[in-house]
Amino acid sequence: MKKDVREMLNDFTGGLGVLSETNGESVNAFMNLLGTNYAPGAVDVKTKELISVGIATYSRCEYCIVFHVYKAFEAGATREEIIESAMVSVAFGGGPTMAYSVTLLKDAIDEFENDFK
């Protein structure tokens, strides 16, 4: 059954908001960590998002895959760059990583690519 990646993205970001109502300090700490690590520096934001796509695919974190594909497009990555980043992770993760690359990652790319054209 194909997953609704846009719904997954909304569930994740909405869930952060809901959880922050009762656990604001923890959610804010997480968001501050993201803000610090994803700020432009020696490595640009697009490259950081492509690294994140590879890590998310390798670790088979479905919400991470969807979120970082979206953020990679937002940072200016192309379909080809996102797929290549995932394929690097397949070298480490083998079949399970390939399975997520040809399903959920592909669906996220197909869904979000036109949002940034």
Side-chain angles (χ1 to χ4, degrees):
M1 181 171 157
K2 191 172 183 175
K3 297 188 182 209
D4 184 336
V5 295
R6 192 163 304 270
E7 182 178 326
M8 290 177 70
L9 178 65
N10 292 335
D11 286 348
F12 175 69
T13 56
L16 286 171
V18 170
L19 189 61
S20 70
E21 293 172 10
T22 57
N23 297 80
E25 190 173 329
S26 296
V27 172
N28 288 337
F30 175 72
M31 297 308 288
N32 286 334
L33 176 65
L34 290 181
T36 298
N37 290 320
Y38 284 87
V43 177
D44 63 75
V45 175
K46 180 176 94 169
T47 303
K48 290 178 182 187
E49 288 299 342
L50 292 171
I51 291 167
S52 297
V53 166
I55 293 169
T57 307
Y58 172 79
S59 63
R60 299 181 295 276
C61 174
E62 293 185 354
Y63 288 94
C64 301
I65 292 168
V66 169
F67 181 78
H68 288 291
V69 165
Y70 184 88
K71 296 300 279 184
F73 276 127
E74 185 178 68
T78 65
R79 171 186 206 89
E80 293 78 14
E81 290 170 324
I82 294 169
I83 293 170
E84 189 169 329
S85 297
M87 291 300 98
V88 170
S89 73
V90 170
F92 292 90
T97 304
M98 180 62 86
Y100 277 84
S101 296
V102 301
T103 57
L104 188 62
L105 180 102
K106 180 196 167 300
D107 292 346
I109 291 169
D110 291 345
E111 177 68 23
F112 300 135
E113 184 175 32
N114 288 327
D115 289 3
F116 298 98
K117 285 190 175 184

